[in-house]
Amino acid sequence: MPDFSQIGHLGQLGSFGQFWVYLSASPLLGLTMTLCAYLLAQRITRLFKGAPLANPVAIAIALVALLLWVSGMSYQRYFAGAQFVHFLLGPATVALALPLVRQLPRLRRAFVPLAFALVLGSVTAIVSSVGVALLLGASPELAATLGPKSATSPIAMAVSERLGGIPALTAALVIGTGIFGAVVGPWLFDRLRIASPAARGFALGLAAHGIGTARAFQSGAEMGAFAGLAMGLNGALTALLAPWLVPVVMGWLR
C-alpha cells in the first residue's frame, strides 16, 4: 500500500521528475494510468462520434500498452495498482441485474426464442472456433484455448485450464473477441436490417460478452439489459458445454 503520509509533501517537490519517482513507487500509478487511458479513450470515441472502430476499450488497451512500453514498466508492477479496477468487475456484473429486472415482462414473453438463440449461439461459438483452428493445423492445446473465447474472462480462463489450454492466452482472445464483436456487431446488424434492440443486445452479449454489453448500453438501457442477460447465460452454458463439446469436436477432426 502507498504511504499516504507523503502526500502532504508533494507540493514541495521541485520537478515533475521527482513527482514521477514518487508516483512510480506507488500502486496508485497503475490505477491512475488505467483511469486516464480510459477517459482519454472516451474523448477520442466522442471525437469520432461513436464510430464502431473507435472502441474505447481497444483504444484504452493500446494507450496503456504504449505507456508500459515507453516507461519500461513491467505488467506485474502495473497490475499491482490496476487490480483495484479489476476487483470492481464483479460488482459491475452484478449491477447488470437492475436493468434486467425492469425488462422482466419482455423476457418472459421472449423466453422460447431467447433460449433457442442462446443454445445455438453458444454451441456455434465453441464448435466453430475449435473446428476452424484444427482444420488450419492448430495444436489441440491451442484449440482448447480458443474454445471458450466467447464467454466472459473468468469463466473462459477456468474452462480453458480444465481443457488443457492456455488460460493467459484465452484471456487475450476473450478481449479480442469482445472488441471485434463490439466493432463489427452494430455494422452487421444494420446490413442485416435487424432493428430490434432486444435482438441486437442479446446477440452482442452472447458473442462479445462484457465488451459487447458495454457497447449495447451505449445504445440504450433495453439493448444493454438483453446483452447483460446473454452474457451471463452464455458464460454459464459455456462452462457446462465446453468441457465435453470441445473433446467431441477434436475427436471428429483429428
Side-chain angles (χ1 to χ4, degrees):
M1 294 292 292
D3 184 4
F4 290 102
S5 65
Q6 299 182 35
I7 294 180
H9 301 293
L10 287 180
Q12 302 174 9
L13 295 177
S15 67
F16 177 77
Q18 290 176 293
F19 174 73
W20 176 259
V21 169
Y22 164 79
L23 189 60
S24 62
S26 166
L28 289 177
L29 179 59
L31 178 63
T32 303
M33 288 171 60
T34 304
L35 295 178
C36 289
Y38 190 73
L39 289 173
L40 180 57
Q42 284 189 314
R43 285 183 172 272
I44 294 173
T45 300
R46 286 195 293 268
L47 181 65
F48 286 94
K49 300 180 180 179
L53 289 176
N55 184 275
V57 176
I59 295 172
I61 290 173
L63 289 174
V64 170
L66 179 62
L67 284 171
L68 293 179
W69 179 68
V70 170
S71 65
M73 181 184 298
S74 68
Y75 177 79
Q76 290 74 18
R77 187 175 175 185
Y78 158 75
F79 192 70
Q83 64 181 330
F84 299 118
V85 177
H86 186 265
F87 169 78
L88 293 175
L89 179 62
T93 302
V94 174
L96 293 174
L98 180 60
L100 278 177
V101 170
R102 295 171 178 168
Q103 298 294 330
L104 274 180
R106 291 203 61 189
L107 291 175
R108 292 193 186 100
R109 291 195 298 269
F111 174 78
V112 174
L114 289 180
F116 180 77
L118 172 66
V119 174
L120 185 62
S122 184
V123 171
T124 300
I126 296 169
V127 172
S128 62
S129 57
V130 175
V132 170
L134 291 174
L135 289 173
L136 292 176
S139 66
E141 182 184 36
L142 181 56
T145 301
L146 283 163
K149 65 177 178 54
S150 290
T152 188
S153 297
I155 295 175
M157 293 174 69
V159 172
S160 174
E161 184 175 13
R162 181 176 177 182
L163 291 170
I166 308 170
L169 181 55
T170 297
L173 291 169
V174 167
I175 294 173
T177 300
I179 292 173
F180 181 81
V183 170
V184 176
W187 173 86
L188 184 60
F189 297 148
D190 291 340
R191 295 300 178 275
L192 295 176
R193 298 182 181 179
I194 300 175
S196 167
R200 292 169 72 108
F202 198 82
L204 271 179
L206 179 59
H209 49 82
I211 297 176
T213 299
R215 176 67 178 174
F217 269 108
Q218 291 177 350
S219 300
E222 180 183 356
M223 188 171 170
F226 278 86
L229 174 67
M231 179 187 71
L233 293 178
N234 183 50
L237 193 58
T238 299
L240 293 173
L241 293 179
W244 68 267
L245 190 55
V246 170
V248 168
V249 177
M250 288 183 178
W252 287 343
L253 298 177
R254 286 176 63 181

